[in-house]
Amino acid sequence: MFPANVLNKTLGINFPIVQAPMAGGATTPELVAAVSNAGALGSLGAALLAPDAIVSSISAIRALTDRPFNVNLFVLDVPQPDPDQIARAVEILQPLRGELGLPPSQLPVKYCEDFAGQVEAVLEARVPVVSFTFGIIDEAVAAACKARGTKIIGTATTVAEAKAWESVGADAVCVQGSEAGGHRGTFLGDFNASMIGTMALVPQAADAVSVPVLAAGGIMDGRGIGAAIVLGASGCQLGTAFLTCPEAAIHPGWKSALRGAREDQTLVTRAFTGRPARGLINDYMRRFNSIQHEFPPYPIQMALIWEIRQAAAQANRPELLSLWAGQGAPMSRDLPAAKLVDELMQEAERALNAMSR
Amino acid sequence: MFPANVLNKTLGINFPIVQAPMAGGATTPELVAAVSNAGALGSLGAALLAPDAIVSSISAIRALTDRPFNVNLFVLDVPQPDPDQIARAVEILQPLRGELGLPPSQLPVKYCEDFAGQVEAVLEARVPVVSFTFGIIDEAVAAACKARGTKIIGTATTVAEAKAWESVGADAVCVQGSEAGGHRGTFLGDFNASMIGTMALVPQAADAVSVPVLAAGGIMDGRGIGAAIVLGASGCQLGTAFLTCPEAAIHPGWKSALRGAREDQTLVTRAFTGRPARGLINDYMRRFNSIQHEFPPYPIQMALIWEIRQAAAQANRPELLSLWAGQGAPMSRDLPAAKLVDELMQEAERALNAMSR
């Protein structure tokens, strides 16, 4: 069906589908391995994991599959906390902590894992593929990946970011359209102006770089995969589509919300983590979206809401959780990951074959 | 190439391409007729025209083509001006009037043309196709169109809006993705949450209605057309792609800006007209975007900036004009409209044929 697919060859996969890395626990070793065993590329969202947890997750994946898989990290500088900004955020969030029975906020011991340590863990594990979001790596890290045979996927939200990834040596670029759920990967330009729809972004990125382009954002079925390929992508990255798989470890309330979602019930907000991210509109978002700019940037705000998030999940209050979702969420289905990969490829074939004379 | 195309049959066209109606003068009778003569559907953006001007424009089109064409209107209620809000907007805009040598603002005699009178003119002219944006018509207007053999295209930005148009009897629904240039057509929901990317919106709308769906937003070449068809659309509506045609009567500075645009240099703002619209970031936008919510709604703000717009155009200052553009603007080319239609269809065929086994 598809034209000779360079992405499959580069990544060692049969189907040009990447299960998006989603940090925070959704991408269990079971999900990653099921996707990879089905012939697509499973991805571990490792951004919130300490180096030793990354190592053990990779071991768990390897125990379940001998196919290629991907590990994703957020490219983060060392945080520079602003005490006044933190005090203001703590003040805003205090009533919510009270409602959840949490004691007054204690400042986090650390705001995020050490990026250099995470990279070291991934390098030592010699994983087949590593992908990066939120920023760009330097040439030394790129060279270290290449020396270990680890393929690199960079995340871009604009043509300029795609070109930057090509320059640093990425083997493929995942371009994230504005439809995508979860965090925006923007690292060069303005967050608002960089909200480019997948339909506009993919052909412009494909024209601008010579490495394979993965399309992400709003793709939930074989029609979307076929469309992305027609636009010039070599493959697709789907996140929301895999969240309702039984292997994805997300709060049951989040899964229910995805199943009942409407396409016009998501917004991009920095109210949860300090970095713009698309999720389902819920009570937390309605309460804090209008004052989102009072919160500190990622990862500081993320660290400040961590206890709230844990407590809300335990209290079964999804209305206070970040319910990341793309604008295709209403097309979610309930299928094991392997079956979903299989259906996606069959649908894509049918969608494209229907176009033949 | 394309599957049996119900849209072509409904609208009496050869190619499932609609040149988007763009109000304000861009869609000259020459542009509309050239597109229709080439086998696609030309559209007159008639929203700002008085009924007699609509009649004469339609006559001019008919003198140039005997093929089907479309006339577009904005569905507007009678404006309810808020004196305080207007006074504030006049105060904000006063320095700009001064810079352009305009006298202090006099309140407009009227804020917009009378929608009922415009509808009457279109009905009496028995045009082949009428399309509507910004709102929805009632069943009496729909019945009057049908009685005259005039096909109806409704504009929707969400699935709910698409279903509303089907319910009222539209013959086709144009779904406007967030990539689209110019005004947002949203009329039921929240403007921000209704910014759905084309990749996500088209399949969901196509699943929800049984009338043909036209995809709009970010489509600039045959890859985009092919992708939209794969997603489930019966055709496409392209606006920005036709703005650089020689037949499109827009300010030369606007054409230059389109040719030099980057995909991450547009924003949606209500700072120009009071209704959110996507255009190239320029001085006017930088100056007023952050206070856009102080301006009154469309069409009142539109009327308040009318003289500024005329003066800026005459003074050759495109940095003060609304430079509407979609996120595909960098893919603009310089071709006569007939040649553009021809190339688009050839490209779409090639893009889809490349997918055949």
Side-chain angles (χ1 to χ4, degrees), chain A residues 1 158-159 179 192-193 195-199 203-204 207 217-218 223-224 227 229-231 263-264 267 327-328 330-331 349 355-357, chain B residues 1 158-159 179 192-193 195-199 203-204 207 217-218 223-224 227 229-231 263-264 267 327-328 330-331 349 355-357:
Chain A
M1 167 193 66
T158 62
V159 169
E179 295 93 333
N192 286 325
M195 289 285 292
I196 321 293
T198 303
M199 183 67 83
Q204 296 183 75
D207 287 345
R223 293 174 295 186
I229 303 283
V230 173
L231 286 173
E263 88 292 352
D264 59 349
L267 278 180
Q327 292 179 322
M331 295 188 275
E349 292 229 18
M355 299 299 131
S356 309
R357 287 170 194 277
Chain B
M1 168 194 65
T158 62
V159 169
E179 295 92 332
N192 286 325
M195 290 285 292
I196 320 294
T198 303
M199 184 66 83
Q204 296 184 74
D207 286 345
R223 292 174 295 185
I229 304 283
V230 173
L231 286 174
E263 88 293 350
D264 60 349
L267 278 180
Q327 292 178 324
M331 294 188 276
E349 291 229 19
M355 298 300 131
S356 309
R357 285 171 195 277

Short mmCIF file of all heavy atoms in Angstrom, two decimals, chain A residues 1 158-159 179 192-193 195-199 203-204 207 217-218 223-224 227 229-231 263-264 267 327-328 330-331 349 355-357, chain B residues 1 158-159 179 192-193 195-199 203-204 207 217-218 223-224 227 229-231 263-264 267 327-328 330-331 349 355-357:
data_model
loop_
_atom_site.label_atom_id
_atom_site.label_comp_id
_atom_site.label_asym_id
_atom_site.label_seq_id
_atom_site.Cartn_x
_atom_site.Cartn_y
_atom_site.Cartn_z
N MET A 1 0.83 -1.21 0.00
CA MET A 1 0.00 0.00 0.00
C MET A 1 0.86 1.26 0.00
O MET A 1 0.85 2.04 -0.92
CB MET A 1 -0.88 0.01 1.24
CG MET A 1 -1.54 1.35 1.50
SD MET A 1 -2.25 1.41 3.17
CE MET A 1 -0.76 1.32 4.16
N THR A 158 7.18 23.32 14.52
CA THR A 158 7.28 24.27 13.41
C THR A 158 8.32 23.75 12.42
O THR A 158 9.11 22.85 12.75
CB THR A 158 7.75 25.67 13.88
OG1 THR A 158 9.06 25.54 14.44
CG2 THR A 158 6.81 26.26 14.91
N VAL A 159 8.33 24.35 11.25
CA VAL A 159 9.33 23.98 10.24
C VAL A 159 10.74 24.28 10.75
O VAL A 159 11.67 23.48 10.57
CB VAL A 159 9.05 24.74 8.92
CG1 VAL A 159 10.22 24.60 7.95
CG2 VAL A 159 7.75 24.22 8.29
N GLU A 179 -3.56 19.76 17.00
CA GLU A 179 -4.62 18.87 17.50
C GLU A 179 -4.15 17.97 18.63
O GLU A 179 -4.97 17.41 19.37
CB GLU A 179 -5.10 17.94 16.36
CG GLU A 179 -5.78 18.63 15.18
CD GLU A 179 -4.81 18.99 14.06
OE1 GLU A 179 -3.61 19.19 14.35
OE2 GLU A 179 -5.25 19.07 12.91
N ASN A 192 1.81 30.25 21.03
CA ASN A 192 0.54 30.43 20.30
C ASN A 192 0.73 30.35 18.80
O ASN A 192 0.01 29.66 18.10
CB ASN A 192 -0.09 31.78 20.67
CG ASN A 192 -0.69 31.75 22.05
OD1 ASN A 192 -1.21 30.72 22.49
ND2 ASN A 192 -0.61 32.87 22.75
N ALA A 193 1.71 31.08 18.29
CA ALA A 193 1.92 31.10 16.84
C ALA A 193 2.42 29.74 16.35
O ALA A 193 2.30 29.42 15.17
CB ALA A 193 2.90 32.21 16.46
N MET A 195 1.12 26.92 17.14
CA MET A 195 0.00 25.96 17.15
C MET A 195 -0.45 25.73 15.70
O MET A 195 -1.49 26.22 15.26
CB MET A 195 -1.16 26.54 17.96
CG MET A 195 -0.91 26.59 19.46
SD MET A 195 -1.04 24.96 20.24
CE MET A 195 -2.81 24.67 20.05
N ILE A 196 0.37 24.98 14.95
CA ILE A 196 0.09 24.75 13.53
C ILE A 196 -0.70 23.45 13.38
O ILE A 196 -0.29 22.42 13.90
CB ILE A 196 1.39 24.61 12.71
CG1 ILE A 196 2.47 25.59 13.18
CG2 ILE A 196 1.11 24.72 11.22
CD1 ILE A 196 2.20 27.01 12.94
N GLY A 197 -1.80 23.48 12.67
CA GLY A 197 -2.58 22.27 12.44
C GLY A 197 -1.80 21.25 11.62
O GLY A 197 -0.99 21.60 10.76
N THR A 198 -2.07 19.98 11.89
CA THR A 198 -1.35 18.89 11.22
C THR A 198 -1.45 18.99 9.70
O THR A 198 -0.47 18.76 8.98
CB THR A 198 -1.92 17.54 11.71
OG1 THR A 198 -1.79 17.48 13.13
CG2 THR A 198 -1.18 16.36 11.11
N MET A 199 -2.63 19.37 9.20
CA MET A 199 -2.84 19.46 7.74
C MET A 199 -1.89 20.47 7.10
O MET A 199 -1.44 20.28 5.97
CB MET A 199 -4.30 19.86 7.48
CG MET A 199 -4.69 19.93 6.03
SD MET A 199 -4.71 18.33 5.19
CE MET A 199 -6.32 17.71 5.65
N PRO A 203 2.96 18.88 5.30
CA PRO A 203 3.58 19.08 3.97
C PRO A 203 4.73 20.08 4.01
O PRO A 203 5.74 19.91 3.31
CB PRO A 203 2.43 19.57 3.09
CG PRO A 203 1.35 20.01 4.02
CD PRO A 203 1.53 19.23 5.29
N GLN A 204 4.61 21.12 4.84
CA GLN A 204 5.67 22.12 4.91
C GLN A 204 6.93 21.54 5.55
O GLN A 204 8.05 21.83 5.11
CB GLN A 204 5.19 23.37 5.66
CG GLN A 204 4.04 24.06 4.92
CD GLN A 204 3.59 25.35 5.60
OE1 GLN A 204 4.27 26.36 5.52
NE2 GLN A 204 2.44 25.32 6.24
N ASP A 207 8.58 19.11 3.08
CA ASP A 207 9.31 19.82 2.03
C ASP A 207 10.64 20.38 2.55
O ASP A 207 11.56 20.62 1.77
CB ASP A 207 8.48 20.99 1.48
CG ASP A 207 7.33 20.52 0.59
OD1 ASP A 207 7.35 19.34 0.18
OD2 ASP A 207 6.43 21.33 0.31
N GLY A 217 -0.91 14.41 15.88
CA GLY A 217 -1.94 15.41 16.15
C GLY A 217 -3.23 15.12 15.41
O GLY A 217 -3.33 15.33 14.21
N GLY A 218 -4.23 14.61 16.13
CA GLY A 218 -5.55 14.41 15.54
C GLY A 218 -5.72 13.12 14.78
O GLY A 218 -6.77 12.89 14.18
N ARG A 223 -7.93 6.41 8.38
CA ARG A 223 -8.10 7.56 7.51
C ARG A 223 -7.03 8.61 7.81
O ARG A 223 -6.42 9.20 6.90
CB ARG A 223 -9.49 8.17 7.69
CG ARG A 223 -10.62 7.28 7.22
CD ARG A 223 -11.98 7.89 7.56
NE ARG A 223 -12.20 7.97 9.01
CZ ARG A 223 -13.34 8.36 9.57
NH1 ARG A 223 -14.37 8.72 8.80
NH2 ARG A 223 -13.47 8.40 10.89
N GLY A 224 -6.80 8.85 9.08
CA GLY A 224 -5.79 9.83 9.47
C GLY A 224 -4.39 9.40 9.06
O GLY A 224 -3.59 10.22 8.60
N ALA A 227 -4.14 9.81 5.33
CA ALA A 227 -4.07 11.23 4.98
C ALA A 227 -2.67 11.79 5.25
O ALA A 227 -2.12 12.55 4.45
CB ALA A 227 -5.12 12.01 5.77
N ILE A 229 0.14 10.21 5.24
CA ILE A 229 1.09 9.70 4.24
C ILE A 229 0.91 10.48 2.93
O ILE A 229 1.90 10.87 2.28
CB ILE A 229 0.85 8.19 4.01
CG1 ILE A 229 0.99 7.40 5.33
CG2 ILE A 229 1.79 7.65 2.93
CD1 ILE A 229 2.37 7.15 5.83
N VAL A 230 -0.34 10.75 2.55
CA VAL A 230 -0.59 11.53 1.33
C VAL A 230 0.03 12.93 1.46
O VAL A 230 0.55 13.49 0.50
CB VAL A 230 -2.11 11.62 1.02
CG1 VAL A 230 -2.38 12.57 -0.14
CG2 VAL A 230 -2.66 10.23 0.71
N LEU A 231 0.00 13.48 2.67
CA LEU A 231 0.56 14.82 2.90
C LEU A 231 2.08 14.85 2.81
O LEU A 231 2.67 15.92 2.75
CB LEU A 231 0.15 15.35 4.28
CG LEU A 231 -1.31 15.80 4.44
CD1 LEU A 231 -1.60 16.13 5.90
CD2 LEU A 231 -1.61 17.01 3.55
N GLU A 263 -15.18 16.66 20.51
CA GLU A 263 -13.97 17.24 19.91
C GLU A 263 -13.77 18.70 20.30
O GLU A 263 -12.65 19.22 20.22
CB GLU A 263 -14.01 17.07 18.38
CG GLU A 263 -14.70 18.18 17.60
CD GLU A 263 -16.19 18.24 17.83
OE1 GLU A 263 -16.76 17.34 18.47
OE2 GLU A 263 -16.81 19.22 17.36
N ASP A 264 -14.85 19.36 20.75
CA ASP A 264 -14.73 20.77 21.13
C ASP A 264 -14.73 20.93 22.65
O ASP A 264 -15.15 21.96 23.17
CB ASP A 264 -15.84 21.60 20.48
CG ASP A 264 -17.23 21.12 20.89
OD1 ASP A 264 -17.34 20.03 21.50
OD2 ASP A 264 -18.21 21.83 20.60
N LEU A 267 -8.88 22.06 25.64
CA LEU A 267 -8.18 23.34 25.53
C LEU A 267 -6.70 23.11 25.81
O LEU A 267 -6.33 22.14 26.49
CB LEU A 267 -8.71 24.36 26.55
CG LEU A 267 -9.97 25.13 26.23
CD1 LEU A 267 -10.29 26.08 27.38
CD2 LEU A 267 -9.85 25.93 24.92
N GLN A 327 -7.64 16.32 19.93
CA GLN A 327 -8.97 16.70 19.43
C GLN A 327 -9.67 15.54 18.72
O GLN A 327 -10.84 15.65 18.35
CB GLN A 327 -8.84 17.91 18.51
CG GLN A 327 -8.42 19.15 19.28
CD GLN A 327 -8.27 20.37 18.41
OE1 GLN A 327 -7.78 20.28 17.28
NE2 GLN A 327 -8.67 21.53 18.91
N GLY A 328 -8.98 14.42 18.58
CA GLY A 328 -9.61 13.24 18.01
C GLY A 328 -10.16 12.30 19.08
O GLY A 328 -10.63 11.21 18.75
N PRO A 330 -12.86 11.76 20.66
CA PRO A 330 -14.13 11.03 20.49
C PRO A 330 -14.00 9.79 19.60
O PRO A 330 -14.89 8.94 19.60
CB PRO A 330 -15.04 12.07 19.83
CG PRO A 330 -14.46 13.39 20.23
CD PRO A 330 -12.98 13.16 20.27
N MET A 331 -12.91 9.68 18.86
CA MET A 331 -12.71 8.50 18.02
C MET A 331 -11.98 7.37 18.78
O MET A 331 -11.60 6.36 18.18
CB MET A 331 -11.94 8.89 16.75
CG MET A 331 -12.71 9.85 15.84
SD MET A 331 -11.91 10.14 14.22
CE MET A 331 -10.78 11.48 14.66
N GLU A 349 -4.96 0.91 4.80
CA GLU A 349 -4.91 0.27 3.47
C GLU A 349 -6.23 0.48 2.74
O GLU A 349 -6.26 0.85 1.57
CB GLU A 349 -4.64 -1.23 3.62
CG GLU A 349 -3.26 -1.55 4.12
CD GLU A 349 -2.56 -2.62 3.26
OE1 GLU A 349 -2.99 -2.84 2.12
OE2 GLU A 349 -1.59 -3.20 3.76
N MET A 355 -9.12 5.06 -2.98
CA MET A 355 -8.79 6.21 -3.84
C MET A 355 -8.29 5.77 -5.21
O MET A 355 -8.19 6.59 -6.11
CB MET A 355 -7.70 7.06 -3.20
CG MET A 355 -8.07 7.66 -1.87
SD MET A 355 -9.49 8.76 -1.99
CE MET A 355 -10.49 8.12 -0.64
N SER A 356 -7.95 4.48 -5.35
CA SER A 356 -7.41 4.02 -6.64
C SER A 356 -8.53 4.05 -7.67
O SER A 356 -9.69 3.90 -7.34
CB SER A 356 -6.88 2.60 -6.50
OG SER A 356 -6.00 2.52 -5.41
N ARG A 357 -8.16 4.26 -8.89
CA ARG A 357 -9.16 4.25 -9.97
C ARG A 357 -9.86 2.90 -10.03
O ARG A 357 -9.25 1.88 -9.90
CB ARG A 357 -8.48 4.48 -11.31
CG ARG A 357 -8.04 5.89 -11.50
CD ARG A 357 -7.15 5.96 -12.74
NE ARG A 357 -6.43 7.21 -12.81
CZ ARG A 357 -6.96 8.34 -13.30
NH1 ARG A 357 -8.18 8.35 -13.76
NH2 ARG A 357 -6.24 9.44 -13.34
N MET B 1 -9.88 9.12 -10.40
CA MET B 1 -9.11 9.10 -9.16
C MET B 1 -10.02 9.04 -7.94
O MET B 1 -10.01 8.09 -7.18
CB MET B 1 -8.27 10.36 -9.08
CG MET B 1 -7.65 10.58 -7.73
SD MET B 1 -7.02 12.25 -7.58
CE MET B 1 -8.52 13.20 -7.69
N THR B 158 -17.37 22.87 14.26
CA THR B 158 -17.47 21.73 15.18
C THR B 158 -18.46 20.73 14.60
O THR B 158 -19.23 21.05 13.68
CB THR B 158 -18.00 22.16 16.57
OG1 THR B 158 -19.33 22.68 16.41
CG2 THR B 158 -17.11 23.21 17.22
N VAL B 159 -18.46 19.54 15.17
CA VAL B 159 -19.42 18.51 14.76
C VAL B 159 -20.85 18.98 15.03
O VAL B 159 -21.75 18.79 14.20
CB VAL B 159 -19.12 17.18 15.50
CG1 VAL B 159 -20.25 16.18 15.31
CG2 VAL B 159 -17.79 16.60 15.02
N GLU B 179 -6.62 25.74 11.06
CA GLU B 179 -5.56 26.28 10.21
C GLU B 179 -6.03 27.43 9.33
O GLU B 179 -5.23 28.20 8.79
CB GLU B 179 -5.01 25.18 9.28
CG GLU B 179 -4.31 24.01 9.97
CD GLU B 179 -5.25 22.85 10.28
OE1 GLU B 179 -6.46 23.09 10.47
OE2 GLU B 179 -4.76 21.71 10.33
N ASN B 192 -12.40 29.38 21.47
CA ASN B 192 -11.13 28.69 21.68
C ASN B 192 -11.27 27.18 21.57
O ASN B 192 -10.50 26.52 20.88
CB ASN B 192 -10.54 29.04 23.05
CG ASN B 192 -9.99 30.44 23.07
OD1 ASN B 192 -9.45 30.91 22.07
ND2 ASN B 192 -10.13 31.12 24.19
N ALA B 193 -12.26 26.62 22.25
CA ALA B 193 -12.42 25.17 22.23
C ALA B 193 -12.86 24.69 20.84
O ALA B 193 -12.71 23.52 20.51
CB ALA B 193 -13.42 24.74 23.29
N MET B 195 -11.51 25.58 18.07
CA MET B 195 -10.36 25.64 17.15
C MET B 195 -9.88 24.21 16.89
O MET B 195 -8.83 23.79 17.39
CB MET B 195 -9.24 26.47 17.78
CG MET B 195 -9.53 27.95 17.87
SD MET B 195 -9.39 28.77 16.27
CE MET B 195 -7.62 28.64 16.00
N ILE B 196 -10.64 23.47 16.11
CA ILE B 196 -10.31 22.05 15.86
C ILE B 196 -9.48 21.97 14.59
O ILE B 196 -9.87 22.50 13.55
CB ILE B 196 -11.59 21.21 15.66
CG1 ILE B 196 -12.70 21.61 16.63
CG2 ILE B 196 -11.25 19.72 15.76
CD1 ILE B 196 -12.44 21.34 18.05
N GLY B 197 -8.35 21.29 14.65
CA GLY B 197 -7.54 21.11 13.45
C GLY B 197 -8.26 20.28 12.39
O GLY B 197 -9.06 19.39 12.71
N THR B 198 -7.96 20.58 11.13
CA THR B 198 -8.62 19.91 10.00
C THR B 198 -8.48 18.39 10.09
O THR B 198 -9.43 17.65 9.80
CB THR B 198 -8.02 20.44 8.68
OG1 THR B 198 -8.19 21.86 8.65
CG2 THR B 198 -8.72 19.84 7.48
N MET B 199 -7.30 17.92 10.49
CA MET B 199 -7.04 16.47 10.56
C MET B 199 -8.00 15.78 11.52
O MET B 199 -8.42 14.64 11.28
CB MET B 199 -5.59 16.24 11.00
CG MET B 199 -5.15 14.80 11.03
SD MET B 199 -5.07 13.99 9.41
CE MET B 199 -3.45 14.53 8.84
N PRO B 203 -12.76 13.87 9.75
CA PRO B 203 -13.35 12.53 9.90
C PRO B 203 -14.52 12.50 10.87
O PRO B 203 -15.50 11.78 10.65
CB PRO B 203 -12.18 11.67 10.41
CG PRO B 203 -11.15 12.63 10.90
CD PRO B 203 -11.33 13.90 10.14
N GLN B 204 -14.45 13.32 11.93
CA GLN B 204 -15.55 13.33 12.91
C GLN B 204 -16.81 13.95 12.30
O GLN B 204 -17.93 13.48 12.54
CB GLN B 204 -15.12 14.08 14.17
CG GLN B 204 -13.97 13.36 14.88
CD GLN B 204 -13.58 14.01 16.19
OE1 GLN B 204 -14.29 13.90 17.18
NE2 GLN B 204 -12.45 14.70 16.22
N ASP B 207 -18.31 11.49 9.76
CA ASP B 207 -19.03 10.40 10.42
C ASP B 207 -20.39 10.86 10.95
O ASP B 207 -21.29 10.05 11.15
CB ASP B 207 -18.22 9.85 11.60
CG ASP B 207 -17.03 9.01 11.16
OD1 ASP B 207 -16.99 8.61 9.98
OD2 ASP B 207 -16.14 8.75 11.99
N GLY B 217 -9.07 24.67 5.61
CA GLY B 217 -8.09 24.94 6.65
C GLY B 217 -6.77 24.25 6.39
O GLY B 217 -6.65 23.05 6.59
N GLY B 218 -5.77 25.00 5.93
CA GLY B 218 -4.43 24.45 5.76
C GLY B 218 -4.21 23.72 4.46
O GLY B 218 -3.13 23.17 4.24
N ARG B 223 -1.61 17.54 -2.34
CA ARG B 223 -1.46 16.63 -1.20
C ARG B 223 -2.56 16.88 -0.18
O ARG B 223 -3.15 15.94 0.37
CB ARG B 223 -0.09 16.85 -0.54
CG ARG B 223 1.09 16.41 -1.39
CD ARG B 223 2.42 16.79 -0.73
NE ARG B 223 2.60 18.25 -0.65
CZ ARG B 223 3.71 18.84 -0.21
NH1 ARG B 223 4.74 18.10 0.20
NH2 ARG B 223 3.81 20.16 -0.18
N GLY B 224 -2.84 18.15 0.09
CA GLY B 224 -3.89 18.50 1.04
C GLY B 224 -5.26 18.05 0.56
O GLY B 224 -6.08 17.55 1.34
N ALA B 227 -5.42 14.30 0.89
CA ALA B 227 -5.52 13.92 2.30
C ALA B 227 -6.94 14.15 2.82
O ALA B 227 -7.48 13.32 3.55
CB ALA B 227 -4.51 14.72 3.13
N ILE B 229 -9.70 14.09 1.18
CA ILE B 229 -10.60 13.06 0.62
C ILE B 229 -10.41 11.74 1.38
O ILE B 229 -11.38 11.06 1.71
CB ILE B 229 -10.32 12.88 -0.89
CG1 ILE B 229 -10.45 14.21 -1.66
CG2 ILE B 229 -11.21 11.79 -1.48
CD1 ILE B 229 -11.83 14.68 -1.92
N VAL B 230 -9.15 11.39 1.65
CA VAL B 230 -8.89 10.16 2.42
C VAL B 230 -9.54 10.25 3.81
O VAL B 230 -10.06 9.26 4.33
CB VAL B 230 -7.37 9.90 2.54
CG1 VAL B 230 -7.08 8.73 3.47
CG2 VAL B 230 -6.76 9.63 1.16
N LEU B 231 -9.57 11.44 4.39
CA LEU B 231 -10.17 11.63 5.72
C LEU B 231 -11.69 11.50 5.70
O LEU B 231 -12.31 11.41 6.77
CB LEU B 231 -9.80 13.01 6.28
CG LEU B 231 -8.37 13.19 6.77
CD1 LEU B 231 -8.12 14.65 7.14
CD2 LEU B 231 -8.08 12.29 7.96
N GLU B 263 4.98 29.65 8.39
CA GLU B 263 3.77 29.00 8.92
C GLU B 263 3.52 29.36 10.38
O GLU B 263 2.38 29.24 10.85
CB GLU B 263 3.84 27.48 8.71
CG GLU B 263 4.52 26.68 9.81
CD GLU B 263 6.02 26.95 9.92
OE1 GLU B 263 6.59 27.62 9.04
OE2 GLU B 263 6.63 26.50 10.92
N ASP B 264 4.55 29.82 11.07
CA ASP B 264 4.38 30.17 12.49
C ASP B 264 4.34 31.68 12.69
O ASP B 264 4.70 32.19 13.74
CB ASP B 264 5.50 29.53 13.34
CG ASP B 264 6.89 30.00 12.91
OD1 ASP B 264 7.01 30.63 11.84
OD2 ASP B 264 7.85 29.73 13.65
N LEU B 267 -1.63 34.48 13.71
CA LEU B 267 -2.36 34.32 14.96
C LEU B 267 -3.85 34.55 14.69
O LEU B 267 -4.20 35.24 13.73
CB LEU B 267 -1.90 35.34 16.02
CG LEU B 267 -0.64 35.03 16.81
CD1 LEU B 267 -0.38 36.18 17.79
CD2 LEU B 267 -0.74 33.71 17.58
N GLN B 327 -2.53 28.87 7.82
CA GLN B 327 -1.20 28.39 8.21
C GLN B 327 -0.45 27.72 7.06
O GLN B 327 0.72 27.38 7.20
CB GLN B 327 -1.33 27.44 9.40
CG GLN B 327 -1.78 28.17 10.66
CD GLN B 327 -1.97 27.26 11.85
OE1 GLN B 327 -2.42 26.13 11.70
NE2 GLN B 327 -1.63 27.74 13.03
N GLY B 328 -1.10 27.58 5.92
CA GLY B 328 -0.42 27.06 4.74
C GLY B 328 0.12 28.16 3.85
O GLY B 328 0.64 27.87 2.76
N PRO B 330 2.79 29.83 3.42
CA PRO B 330 4.08 29.72 2.72
C PRO B 330 4.02 28.85 1.47
O PRO B 330 4.94 28.91 0.65
CB PRO B 330 4.99 29.06 3.78
CG PRO B 330 4.37 29.42 5.09
CD PRO B 330 2.89 29.42 4.82
N MET B 331 2.95 28.08 1.30
CA MET B 331 2.81 27.26 0.10
C MET B 331 2.10 28.02 -1.02
O MET B 331 1.77 27.43 -2.06
CB MET B 331 2.07 25.96 0.44
CG MET B 331 2.85 25.04 1.39
SD MET B 331 2.08 23.38 1.63
CE MET B 331 0.89 23.76 2.93
N GLU B 349 -4.33 13.99 -8.00
CA GLU B 349 -4.32 12.67 -8.66
C GLU B 349 -2.98 11.98 -8.43
O GLU B 349 -2.92 10.80 -8.09
CB GLU B 349 -4.55 12.84 -10.17
CG GLU B 349 -5.94 13.29 -10.52
CD GLU B 349 -6.57 12.43 -11.60
OE1 GLU B 349 -6.09 11.29 -11.84
OE2 GLU B 349 -7.53 12.89 -12.22
N MET B 355 -0.08 6.25 -3.89
CA MET B 355 -0.42 5.36 -2.78
C MET B 355 -0.88 3.98 -3.25
O MET B 355 -1.00 3.06 -2.44
CB MET B 355 -1.55 5.96 -1.93
CG MET B 355 -1.20 7.28 -1.29
SD MET B 355 0.21 7.12 -0.17
CE MET B 355 1.20 8.50 -0.74
N SER B 356 -1.19 3.85 -4.55
CA SER B 356 -1.68 2.56 -5.04
C SER B 356 -0.54 1.54 -4.98
O SER B 356 0.62 1.89 -5.08
CB SER B 356 -2.15 2.69 -6.48
OG SER B 356 -3.04 3.77 -6.58
N ARG B 357 -0.91 0.33 -4.79
CA ARG B 357 0.10 -0.73 -4.76
C ARG B 357 0.89 -0.72 -6.05
O ARG B 357 0.34 -0.54 -7.11
CB ARG B 357 -0.57 -2.09 -4.61
CG ARG B 357 -1.08 -2.33 -3.22
CD ARG B 357 -1.93 -3.62 -3.27
NE ARG B 357 -2.75 -3.74 -2.08
CZ ARG B 357 -2.30 -4.25 -0.93
NH1 ARG B 357 -1.06 -4.64 -0.83
NH2 ARG B 357 -3.10 -4.35 0.10
#
